[in-house]
Amino acid sequence: MKANTDGYIHLQKLYKTRAQEEKEHFKSFLTVPIDDALVDSFVKNAHALKVLRGKKWGALDADSALLANAAASSPKQTSIHLSLSALSSLIVEHPGVAPTIDSLTAEAQALLGSGVDLPDDFADYVGEIARSPSADLPNTAALLGGLVAQEVIKVITKQYVPIDSYCTVDLVETWTGVI
């Protein structure tokens, strides 16, 4: 195949025309006026975008069937999640009231749905939550900060796969799990 100037110019015009069509198509989706230079830059560099599909925060708690499946397959992880979710829910619903084991258990059972029993390990975890619901634990904060930083680095560098769900950490028995 021979290259010539006319062929190159023709190909360049095709690319520019296609880029202009894509830019106009993209601008048709915008609801707010945005500077053309910014739109040009976005469309020019859009080839580097990657879609990461995760779960919306609270999606697990909103679906009682999904929670029941998680309780059956990962009882320890789900027990931690239910304990902390029940605490969070009680703090929002009844600010300033100290949570009790009974109130946390009732809230967790409401999240799990009727007809599904709480995991066997739940009593241990909810007892710790009720004992010190707002304790500051520097070691736990340091570990979780490192875990979050690691996940952010995964997303930014696009080198490894980020955690796709809820990660639970038990520093007493030293294990982590994903539900």
Side-chain angles (χ1 to χ4, degrees), residues 64-87:
S64 58
L66 193 59
L67 261 176
N69 288 340
S73 63
S74 308
K76 283 186 170 187
Q77 293 91 330
T78 307
S79 295
I80 290 175
H81 175 75
L82 283 171
S83 301
L84 293 172
S85 292
L87 176 64

Side-chain angles (χ1 to χ4, degrees), residues 20 23-24 26-28 30-44:
Q20 186 64 29
K23 180 177 132 182
E24 294 303 320
F26 176 75
K27 286 174 75 174
S28 71
L30 298 177
T31 58
V32 179
I34 297 178
D35 184 37
D36 280 343
L38 185 61
V39 172
D40 287 339
S41 176
F42 178 81
V43 172
K44 181 179 179 182

